């Protein structure tokens, strides 16, 4: 079995799959308040998701991240997790993980840990309950904090993902950092990306470049760059005073494409070879055309042979060149 390698000799070892476009929150940078969600028939079924992920694993994917929308609001999603976890048992899959808003973790953390999940990423932009409600519109902070606690109690490592938003959580930088240090969570900041159809003005207003955030951190702490790379857009520093590791995901200002080992699949089975480009391949049709996986494998191989060298976001001239019209909740962040 030849493993997936793209035209630039990058092995494809990391797959992110969105299992739903739905969510119990309405974060302002991610969704409109009133969203039109997809009809159920358009979504991959749990069985189709399993076939799709298993095929990628057979072709060399070793790390699988489940996302959404909010993955834990998909009906029966634990059935999917339990089934796909068989690849952890065989050793074919090295890591199975998820990105979640944390709202359902109190309910599911123990089960997730029991099937072999070791880490979860939880998105949390503020520790202020009123601000949390404002940014998520429908979210409630205590529920998420309870979820995080349940995850920890179950033995899951928690990484907090915080979207850096100018005029919103600039003052939260040090409180968040202190809280993560005291709770033992890793912390990664994400630069806000030009997704969806929110007004251009609003996004540019909210754009807080991580180099500015980093400079703010450096006023108080000694930062050491770490060589560690994940094959994705994250870069890490160690805060010498606390020993904490902090990540920065800067898809807009830094080029991380040369080491890109990842692709993503939407909840409708579109394979995106690059987060920043529209080119995609429909995997739902081959999934539904045959109960064997040959057509699916051919479609995946054909798509990977088109994986582009890099992407084209550019905020530097205060324009949104390269803007993507899809929402993160659709492609899966
Ligand atoms: N619902 C889950 C969650 O919030 O973690 C998983 C899906 S969410 C789309 C995945 C990640 O994308 C979250 O960390 C979220 O903060 C981030 N995200 C959503 N919209 C974004 C945007 N416009 N720019 C940068 N990050 C964004
Ligand atoms: Fe939901 Fe996550 Fe998007 Fe927030 S960022 S609306 S929690 S999918």
């Amino acid at each position: 079995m030849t493993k997936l390698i793209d035209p630039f000799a990058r092995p494809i070892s990391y797959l992110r799959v969105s299992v739903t476009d739905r969510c119990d929150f309405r974060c302002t940078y991610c969704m409109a308040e009133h969203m039109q969600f997809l009809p159920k028939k358009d979504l991959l079924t749990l069985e189709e998701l399993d076939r799709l992920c298993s095929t990628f694993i057979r072709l060399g994917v070793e790390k699988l991240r489940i996302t959404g929308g909010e993955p834990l609001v998909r009906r029966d999603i634990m059935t999917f997790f339990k089934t796909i976890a068989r690849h952890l048992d065989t050793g074919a899959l090295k890591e199975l993980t998820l990105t979640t808003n944390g709202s359902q973790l109190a309910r599911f953390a123990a089960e997730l840990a029991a099937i072999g999940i070791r880490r979860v990423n939880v998105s949390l932009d503020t520790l202020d309950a009123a601000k949390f409600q404002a940014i998520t519109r429908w979210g409630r902070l205590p529920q998420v904090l309870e979820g995080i606690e349940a995850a920890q109690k179950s033995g899951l490592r928690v990484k907090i993902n915080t979207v850096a938003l100018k005029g919103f959580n600039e003052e939260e930088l040090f409180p968040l950092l202190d809280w993560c240090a005291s709770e033992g969570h890793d912390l990664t900041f994400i630069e806000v990306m030009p997704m969806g159809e929110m007004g251009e003005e609003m996004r540019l207003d909210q754009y807080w470049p991580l180099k500015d955030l980093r400079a703010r951190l450096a006023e108080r702490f000694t930062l050491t760059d770490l060589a560690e790379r994940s094959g994705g857009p994250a870069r890490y520093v160690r805060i010498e005073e606390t020993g904490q590791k902090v990540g920065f995901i800067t898809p807009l200002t830094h080029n991380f494409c040369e080491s890109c080992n990842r692709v993503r699949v939407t909840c409708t089975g579109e394979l995106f070879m690059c987060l920043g480009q529209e080119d995609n391949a429909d995997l739902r049709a081959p999934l539904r055309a045959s109960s064997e996986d040959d057509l699916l494998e051919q479609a995946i191989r054909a798509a990977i042979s088109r994986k582009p060298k890099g992407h084209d976001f550019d905020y530097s001239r205060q324009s949104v060149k390269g803007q993507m019209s899809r929402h993160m909740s659709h492609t899966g962040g």
Side-chain angles (χ1 to χ4, degrees), residues 142-284:
Q143 189 182 346
V144 170
L145 295 180
E146 259 172 51
I148 292 173
E149 207 179 310
Q152 261 185 322
K153 283 208 176 110
S154 307
L156 296 170
R157 271 199 71 75
V158 174
K159 190 179 87 175
I160 301 295
N161 281 340
T162 301
V163 177
L165 297 163
K166 198 179 204 159
F168 177 76
N169 57 8
E170 285 165 292
E171 302 314 318
E172 306 280 314
L173 180 58
F174 293 108
L176 262 169
L177 202 70
D178 291 346
W179 177 73
C180 286
S182 68
E183 299 291 317
H185 307 316
D186 287 329
L187 174 61
T188 291
F189 292 100
I190 309 176
E191 213 159 54
V192 76
M193 285 197 271
M195 292 284 172
E197 288 95 37
M198 292 160 282
E200 178 173 331
E201 213 174 294
M202 172 190 152
R203 282 193 316 276
L204 290 174
D205 272 1
Q206 290 195 324
Y207 181 49
W208 183 17
L210 291 192
K211 68 172 175 29
D212 296 355
L213 185 154
R214 190 193 153 117
R216 182 84 69 94
L217 277 181
E219 287 169 14
R220 193 174 299 187
F221 296 118
T222 316
L223 309 181
T224 306
D225 284 305
L226 300 177
E228 184 178 330
R229 295 277 154 93
S230 59
R235 296 288 175 266
Y236 299 93
V237 299
R238 188 173 50 241
I239 299 190
E240 295 301 341
E241 288 80 354
T242 64
Q244 250 174 308
K245 194 176 83 170
V246 175
F248 299 99
I249 299 185
T250 55
L252 303 174
T253 52
H254 281 244
N255 195 329
F256 56 87
C257 304
E258 69 284 353
S259 60
C260 182
N261 60 358
R262 52 193 62 200
V263 291
R264 51 185 71 218
V265 175
T266 68
C267 55
T268 55
E270 296 160 300
L271 169 63
F272 281 87
M273 287 72 85
C274 170
L275 176 62
Q277 296 201 3
E278 291 287 3
D279 186 26
N280 66 82
D282 174 20
L283 300 183
R284 190 179 58 193

Side-chain angles (χ1 to χ4, degrees), residues 14 16 63 65-72 95-103 105 112 117-124 144 148 151 156-162 185-188 190 230 234 236 249 262 333:
Y14 182 131
R16 242 169 219 249
K63 184 168 171 183
R65 177 175 293 281
I66 303 304
T67 180
E70 175 46 43
L72 296 179
E95 185 172 50
L96 173 61
T97 182
L98 69 151
T99 301
T100 172
N101 64 23
S103 70
L105 273 179
L112 291 169
I117 291 182
R118 297 280 158 258
R119 310 190 291 148
V120 288
N121 285 7
V122 182
S123 304
L124 181 64
V144 170
I148 292 173
L156 296 170
R157 271 199 71 75
V158 174
K159 190 179 87 175
I160 301 295
N161 281 340
T162 301
H185 307 316
D186 287 329
L187 174 61
T188 291
I190 309 176
S230 59
Y236 299 93
I249 299 185
R262 52 193 62 200

Side-chain angles (χ1 to χ4, degrees), residues 20-32 67-71 99-103 123 125 135-137 163 328-330 332-333:
T20 178
D21 59 335
R22 287 164 200 257
C23 187
D24 51 345
F25 291 3
R26 291 289 182 279
C27 302
T28 55
Y29 49 74
C30 177
M31 290 194 186
T67 180
E70 175 46 43
T99 301
T100 172
N101 64 23
S103 70
S123 304
D125 302 330
I135 199 80
T136 61
R137 293 201 189 96
V163 177
M328 285 289 267
S329 55
H330 185 57

